[in-house]
Amino acid sequence: MNGLSMRGMEKSFGAVRVLDGVDFDVRPGEVHALLGMNGAGKSTLMNILAGAIPPDAGTITIDGTIYTFSSPREAKQAGIGLVVQEVDTALFPGLPIYENVAADEFVHVKQRPIRSLRQEKERAAALLRRVGLSLPPTKLVRDCSLHEKQLIVLAKVLSSNARYIILDEPTAALSEAETRRLFAIIDELKQQGVGFIYISHKLKEVQEIADRLTILRDGRVVYHGGARSLPLEDIVLHMTGTKRTAAAKQARTYRSDIAFAARGILIDKTGTTVDLYAHRGEIVGIAGLVGAGKTELAESLIAHRNTSGEWEIDGRRYVFSSPYEAIDAGLCLIPEERRKQGLFLPESVKTNLTVRLLSRLSRWQWISWAKEAAEADGLVRSLGVHPPSSTTVVRHLSGGNQQKVVIGKWLNTNARVFLFDEPTKGIDVHAKQEVFSIIRSLADEGKTVLYFSSEFQELLDICDTIYVMVDGRLLARLPAAELTYEQLVYYCSGGEIHEPASRFHNAVEKNGAVHS
């Protein structure tokens, strides 16, 4: 019997039942979407399939053969491939593409096929063509774009003859054009008999690309059927167990004094300079398409990238030359790539939450374990981290709970200006609302928030003011309440900005520090 089948999968971590008799299958040449809120059991089910963790019960059958995986290597040998969300973690940036494509053979194959250097490059080039890339195989991975890296990982997976490929949030950081190209490649591979497991929180994309979908809630299958026959509202209902109702945006007030300003900040990647400002308690959005320079601006503001310019925080002027100086002055960054840049994955929730507080929790360079535990437990409760244990290893948390930890480590510091770069990337609807609640609470406390995102509806929902960013430049500063979704898309796509832009260009900080 052809196809991949998982039957009666069960898994518990301590007293918490994560999977409760889950059935899931994939046919050759189809895309089967796996949906569910963060913590529903998706990651655990896929980790079992990829050989990363063993199930407590259940069977895996692939093309008529029953398998029990004790390692990812065994899963790969059985034809399972995984394209992870953070593709940089699956590649060696300092090596050329062809060596990355063949890397698994060096590690996992006892008797590696003997191929000349020319044959290695030709093989890699053929695999790159199969995924729609025309890059030279000698190009270093670190010089590739994020979209190119994602397709390189896909080529690497195909090099091991994977027949069933797990795609984890594959379009989370892709532009619309890059998403179209990825979908075309998936369609081509489907014709070659490759089956895909597609995990995403972009439900409209799921309906477009998937043939079938399975929805998990609390470790159980609550829906299984055709992807296009179920309306979006019903998908959300199955995922959450409650009806989603449209809520009007709550009007917010913030102080008139400017708490944060930046002038002449150089974005070295685009060669542009940026001026911006934000009032105390204001949530300011930076809206732009993928590739507009939002992440580069956020990293320049925290002085992580080579930059220049002048900062002002609570009336005091600064010139930063390192993130240490920016953080010491009251800035903090919640980065887009939380697993790569925001967390110590092998460490506990407690260690991650208290890493910025060690000077307060230690004496004579000795950490008070009691103080550290009390601090972490308090943050876990206030943030609503699930499971509610500060001793849990952070890599075992869902994406939404990991994001809470990334935010939480800054809450009891001197941070006054919070930079959120794509903070809802790869997290579900419920977790997004929890992150929004944290952000609003920070603003209500008088903190200043800059929210960098290509999710335009999120910006309209949470922000007081929105800057429009195109090709590394801020073109307008607009009241969020006066914008529609369609206008914001139009402006960020390069559309002409009319009257509201004049207010932006003429706005001047009252004390003359920054002309925006």
Side-chain angles (χ1 to χ4, degrees), residues 33-230:
L34 180 63
L35 305 181
M37 307 290 277
N38 283 325
K42 305 186 305 295
S43 297
T44 300
L45 186 66
M46 291 300 99
N47 281 330
I48 290 172
L49 181 60
I53 59 175
D56 296 335
T59 58
I60 299 173
T61 304
I62 302 175
D63 297 336
T65 302
I66 296 176
Y67 288 88
T68 301
F69 301 138
S70 59
S71 69
R73 176 172 62 88
E74 293 180 0
K76 289 179 182 178
Q77 290 174 340
I80 306 299
L82 172 63
V83 180
V84 295
Q85 181 178 344
E86 289 86 4
V87 292
D88 285 307
T89 64
L91 295 169
F92 299 98
L95 296 181
I97 294 172
Y98 75 89
E99 291 187 3
N100 272 274
V101 169
D104 285 350
E105 291 185 352
F106 288 95
V107 177
H108 297 309
V109 179
K110 292 182 180 179
Q111 292 185 334
R112 183 172 173 267
I114 298 175
R115 287 190 290 264
S116 67
L117 190 60
R118 178 180 61 82
Q119 289 173 324
E120 289 281 13
K121 294 176 182 177
E122 289 176 350
R123 177 173 177 268
L127 286 164
L128 291 176
R129 287 193 297 272
R130 193 177 174 192
V131 298
L133 281 179
S134 57
L135 298 176
T138 54
K139 184 176 182 177
L140 294 180
V141 163
R142 66 172 170 233
D143 296 329
C144 298
S145 69
L146 182 60
H147 176 57
E148 290 169 343
K149 290 176 185 177
Q150 189 174 56
L151 294 180
I152 291 167
V153 174
L154 182 56
K156 179 180 175 182
V157 166
L158 292 172
S159 74
S160 62
N161 297 315
R163 292 165 290 158
Y164 302 98
I165 299 176
I166 305 164
L167 298 176
D168 186 7
E169 297 287 350
T171 66
L174 300 187
S175 68
E176 179 67 22
E178 290 167 341
T179 297
R180 295 295 110 206
R181 289 198 292 272
L182 176 63
F183 284 3
I185 292 164
I186 291 173
D187 285 336
E188 290 178 13
L189 293 173
K190 283 174 60 180
Q191 301 305 315
Q192 300 170 25
V194 177
F196 290 92
I197 302 169
Y198 193 93
I199 301 172
S200 178
H201 291 107
K202 297 184 178 182
L203 301 184
K204 289 185 178 179
E205 288 185 2
V206 167
Q207 287 190 315
E208 177 182 351
I209 192 65
D211 301 295
R212 291 187 295 154
L213 62 84
T214 292
I215 302 175
L216 298 183
R217 187 172 73 241
D218 298 330
R220 297 179 180 178
V221 175
V222 294
Y223 177 85
H224 171 79
R228 297 171 186 85
S229 60
L230 194 66

Side-chain angles (χ1 to χ4, degrees), residues 285-314:
I286 312 294
L289 300 174
V290 174
K294 300 184 302 300
T295 292
E296 290 78 10
L297 173 57
E299 292 181 345
S300 294
L301 288 173
I302 201 83
H304 176 64
R305 289 178 176 264
N306 181 35
T307 190
S308 59
E310 180 182 273
W311 290 256
E312 184 169 325
I313 303 173
D314 291 336

